[in-house]
Amino acid sequence: MAFVQIIEFRSSKIDEMRKVGEAWEAAAGADRKARRVVLCEDRDDRGRYFNIVFFDSYESAMEN
């Protein structure tokens, strides 16, 4: 069964956070367990973000 992880965070430096995420994806390469990552911003609360991360299973999320 698929598994979704939601990570909430605050940042005033979202461009730097994006670069960190892109660097992680590049470093993990084909071995990464996350199948898809969506970065979302709360339109009503500037600086509040959510990463929605999709995995094949709970187990693969825990390996991540």
Side-chain angles (χ1 to χ4, degrees), residues 44-57:
D44 296 326
D45 188 358
R46 282 187 61 93
R48 182 179 181 204
Y49 297 91
F50 299 89
N51 257 341
I52 304 172
V53 187
F54 298 82
F55 297 92
D56 289 338
S57 66

PDB file of all heavy atoms in Angstrom, residues 44-57:
ATOM      1  N   ASP A  44      -2.477  31.484   2.899  1.00  0.00           N
ATOM      2  CA  ASP A  44      -2.994  32.341   3.968  1.00  0.00           C
ATOM      3  C   ASP A  44      -1.969  32.625   5.064  1.00  0.00           C
ATOM      4  O   ASP A  44      -2.245  33.411   5.973  1.00  0.00           O
ATOM      5  CB  ASP A  44      -4.233  31.702   4.594  1.00  0.00           C
ATOM      6  CG  ASP A  44      -5.382  31.589   3.612  1.00  0.00           C
ATOM      7  OD1 ASP A  44      -5.509  32.488   2.755  1.00  0.00           O
ATOM      8  OD2 ASP A  44      -6.126  30.590   3.678  1.00  0.00           O
ATOM      9  N   ASP A  45      -0.821  31.973   5.008  1.00  0.00           N
ATOM     10  CA  ASP A  45       0.197  32.126   6.057  1.00  0.00           C
ATOM     11  C   ASP A  45       1.579  32.101   5.403  1.00  0.00           C
ATOM     12  O   ASP A  45       2.201  31.044   5.277  1.00  0.00           O
ATOM     13  CB  ASP A  45       0.041  30.990   7.072  1.00  0.00           C
ATOM     14  CG  ASP A  45       0.913  31.164   8.306  1.00  0.00           C
ATOM     15  OD1 ASP A  45       1.687  32.144   8.374  1.00  0.00           O
ATOM     16  OD2 ASP A  45       0.812  30.307   9.197  1.00  0.00           O
ATOM     17  N   ARG A  46       2.051  33.282   4.981  1.00  0.00           N
ATOM     18  CA  ARG A  46       3.346  33.368   4.293  1.00  0.00           C
ATOM     19  C   ARG A  46       4.453  32.758   5.143  1.00  0.00           C
ATOM     20  O   ARG A  46       4.495  32.938   6.357  1.00  0.00           O
ATOM     21  CB  ARG A  46       3.694  34.820   3.991  1.00  0.00           C
ATOM     22  CG  ARG A  46       2.947  35.363   2.803  1.00  0.00           C
ATOM     23  CD  ARG A  46       3.436  36.738   2.417  1.00  0.00           C
ATOM     24  NE  ARG A  46       4.834  36.790   2.045  1.00  0.00           N
ATOM     25  CZ  ARG A  46       5.291  36.675   0.790  1.00  0.00           C
ATOM     26  NH1 ARG A  46       4.432  36.496  -0.182  1.00  0.00           N
ATOM     27  NH2 ARG A  46       6.568  36.747   0.533  1.00  0.00           N
ATOM     28  N   GLY A  47       5.327  32.021   4.467  1.00  0.00           N
ATOM     29  CA  GLY A  47       6.455  31.404   5.152  1.00  0.00           C
ATOM     30  C   GLY A  47       6.158  30.016   5.681  1.00  0.00           C
ATOM     31  O   GLY A  47       7.047  29.355   6.206  1.00  0.00           O
ATOM     32  N   ARG A  48       4.934  29.547   5.548  1.00  0.00           N
ATOM     33  CA  ARG A  48       4.550  28.203   5.995  1.00  0.00           C
ATOM     34  C   ARG A  48       4.459  27.311   4.763  1.00  0.00           C
ATOM     35  O   ARG A  48       3.754  27.631   3.806  1.00  0.00           O
ATOM     36  CB  ARG A  48       3.210  28.233   6.705  1.00  0.00           C
ATOM     37  CG  ARG A  48       2.765  26.899   7.234  1.00  0.00           C
ATOM     38  CD  ARG A  48       1.434  27.060   7.929  1.00  0.00           C
ATOM     39  NE  ARG A  48       0.975  25.796   8.480  1.00  0.00           N
ATOM     40  CZ  ARG A  48      -0.294  25.516   8.723  1.00  0.00           C
ATOM     41  NH1 ARG A  48      -1.229  26.418   8.500  1.00  0.00           N
ATOM     42  NH2 ARG A  48      -0.632  24.353   9.199  1.00  0.00           N
ATOM     43  N   TYR A  49       5.169  26.196   4.804  1.00  0.00           N
ATOM     44  CA  TYR A  49       5.264  25.301   3.647  1.00  0.00           C
ATOM     45  C   TYR A  49       4.992  23.863   4.068  1.00  0.00           C
ATOM     46  O   TYR A  49       5.097  23.504   5.243  1.00  0.00           O
ATOM     47  CB  TYR A  49       6.667  25.383   3.024  1.00  0.00           C
ATOM     48  CG  TYR A  49       6.985  26.747   2.485  1.00  0.00           C
ATOM     49  CD1 TYR A  49       7.601  27.701   3.288  1.00  0.00           C
ATOM     50  CD2 TYR A  49       6.651  27.102   1.188  1.00  0.00           C
ATOM     51  CE1 TYR A  49       7.881  28.967   2.801  1.00  0.00           C
ATOM     52  CE2 TYR A  49       6.927  28.361   0.690  1.00  0.00           C
ATOM     53  CZ  TYR A  49       7.539  29.285   1.512  1.00  0.00           C
ATOM     54  OH  TYR A  49       7.803  30.535   1.018  1.00  0.00           O
ATOM     55  N   PHE A  50       4.676  23.060   3.065  1.00  0.00           N
ATOM     56  CA  PHE A  50       4.454  21.633   3.261  1.00  0.00           C
ATOM     57  C   PHE A  50       5.176  20.886   2.146  1.00  0.00           C
ATOM     58  O   PHE A  50       5.069  21.254   0.974  1.00  0.00           O
ATOM     59  CB  PHE A  50       2.964  21.280   3.183  1.00  0.00           C
ATOM     60  CG  PHE A  50       2.141  21.962   4.221  1.00  0.00           C
ATOM     61  CD1 PHE A  50       1.588  23.210   3.977  1.00  0.00           C
ATOM     62  CD2 PHE A  50       1.932  21.368   5.449  1.00  0.00           C
ATOM     63  CE1 PHE A  50       0.827  23.854   4.937  1.00  0.00           C
ATOM     64  CE2 PHE A  50       1.171  22.011   6.420  1.00  0.00           C
ATOM     65  CZ  PHE A  50       0.620  23.261   6.160  1.00  0.00           C
ATOM     66  N   ASN A  51       5.911  19.865   2.506  1.00  0.00           N
ATOM     67  CA  ASN A  51       6.449  18.922   1.535  1.00  0.00           C
ATOM     68  C   ASN A  51       5.549  17.692   1.617  1.00  0.00           C
ATOM     69  O   ASN A  51       5.374  17.122   2.703  1.00  0.00           O
ATOM     70  CB  ASN A  51       7.879  18.496   1.904  1.00  0.00           C
ATOM     71  CG  ASN A  51       8.912  19.172   1.066  1.00  0.00           C
ATOM     72  OD1 ASN A  51       8.627  19.679   0.002  1.00  0.00           O
ATOM     73  ND2 ASN A  51      10.134  19.179   1.561  1.00  0.00           N
ATOM     74  N   ILE A  52       4.971  17.311   0.515  1.00  0.00           N
ATOM     75  CA  ILE A  52       4.164  16.094   0.460  1.00  0.00           C
ATOM     76  C   ILE A  52       5.004  15.082  -0.310  1.00  0.00           C
ATOM     77  O   ILE A  52       5.341  15.303  -1.470  1.00  0.00           O
ATOM     78  CB  ILE A  52       2.812  16.350  -0.221  1.00  0.00           C
ATOM     79  CG1 ILE A  52       2.076  17.487   0.503  1.00  0.00           C
ATOM     80  CG2 ILE A  52       1.974  15.066  -0.234  1.00  0.00           C
ATOM     81  CD1 ILE A  52       0.821  17.950  -0.186  1.00  0.00           C
ATOM     82  N   VAL A  53       5.360  14.001   0.374  1.00  0.00           N
ATOM     83  CA  VAL A  53       6.300  13.031  -0.182  1.00  0.00           C
ATOM     84  C   VAL A  53       5.585  11.688  -0.333  1.00  0.00           C
ATOM     85  O   VAL A  53       5.003  11.177   0.631  1.00  0.00           O
ATOM     86  CB  VAL A  53       7.543  12.885   0.724  1.00  0.00           C
ATOM     87  CG1 VAL A  53       8.581  12.002   0.066  1.00  0.00           C
ATOM     88  CG2 VAL A  53       8.131  14.256   1.069  1.00  0.00           C
ATOM     89  N   PHE A  54       5.646  11.131  -1.532  1.00  0.00           N
ATOM     90  CA  PHE A  54       4.964   9.878  -1.850  1.00  0.00           C
ATOM     91  C   PHE A  54       5.969   8.720  -1.889  1.00  0.00           C
ATOM     92  O   PHE A  54       7.034   8.853  -2.496  1.00  0.00           O
ATOM     93  CB  PHE A  54       4.284   9.989  -3.216  1.00  0.00           C
ATOM     94  CG  PHE A  54       3.221  11.046  -3.272  1.00  0.00           C
ATOM     95  CD1 PHE A  54       3.548  12.377  -3.471  1.00  0.00           C
ATOM     96  CD2 PHE A  54       1.889  10.706  -3.113  1.00  0.00           C
ATOM     97  CE1 PHE A  54       2.572  13.361  -3.522  1.00  0.00           C
ATOM     98  CE2 PHE A  54       0.899  11.688  -3.164  1.00  0.00           C
ATOM     99  CZ  PHE A  54       1.246  13.008  -3.362  1.00  0.00           C
ATOM    100  N   PHE A  55       5.601   7.616  -1.259  1.00  0.00           N
ATOM    101  CA  PHE A  55       6.426   6.410  -1.217  1.00  0.00           C
ATOM    102  C   PHE A  55       5.599   5.210  -1.668  1.00  0.00           C
ATOM    103  O   PHE A  55       4.368   5.237  -1.608  1.00  0.00           O
ATOM    104  CB  PHE A  55       6.930   6.151   0.214  1.00  0.00           C
ATOM    105  CG  PHE A  55       7.826   7.224   0.751  1.00  0.00           C
ATOM    106  CD1 PHE A  55       7.294   8.284   1.487  1.00  0.00           C
ATOM    107  CD2 PHE A  55       9.183   7.184   0.548  1.00  0.00           C
ATOM    108  CE1 PHE A  55       8.118   9.279   1.991  1.00  0.00           C
ATOM    109  CE2 PHE A  55      10.012   8.168   1.049  1.00  0.00           C
ATOM    110  CZ  PHE A  55       9.477   9.219   1.758  1.00  0.00           C
ATOM    111  N   ASP A  56       6.281   4.142  -2.044  1.00  0.00           N
ATOM    112  CA  ASP A  56       5.592   2.913  -2.419  1.00  0.00           C
ATOM    113  C   ASP A  56       4.936   2.246  -1.216  1.00  0.00           C
ATOM    114  O   ASP A  56       3.906   1.587  -1.350  1.00  0.00           O
ATOM    115  CB  ASP A  56       6.568   1.925  -3.072  1.00  0.00           C
ATOM    116  CG  ASP A  56       6.996   2.380  -4.445  1.00  0.00           C
ATOM    117  OD1 ASP A  56       6.272   3.181  -5.078  1.00  0.00           O
ATOM    118  OD2 ASP A  56       8.085   1.947  -4.890  1.00  0.00           O
ATOM    119  N   SER A  57       5.558   2.413  -0.021  1.00  0.00           N
ATOM    120  CA  SER A  57       5.040   1.766   1.176  1.00  0.00           C
ATOM    121  C   SER A  57       5.574   2.470   2.413  1.00  0.00           C
ATOM    122  O   SER A  57       6.526   3.263   2.337  1.00  0.00           O
ATOM    123  CB  SER A  57       5.487   0.305   1.217  1.00  0.00           C
ATOM    124  OG  SER A  57       6.900   0.236   1.375  1.00  0.00           O
TER     125      SER A  57
END
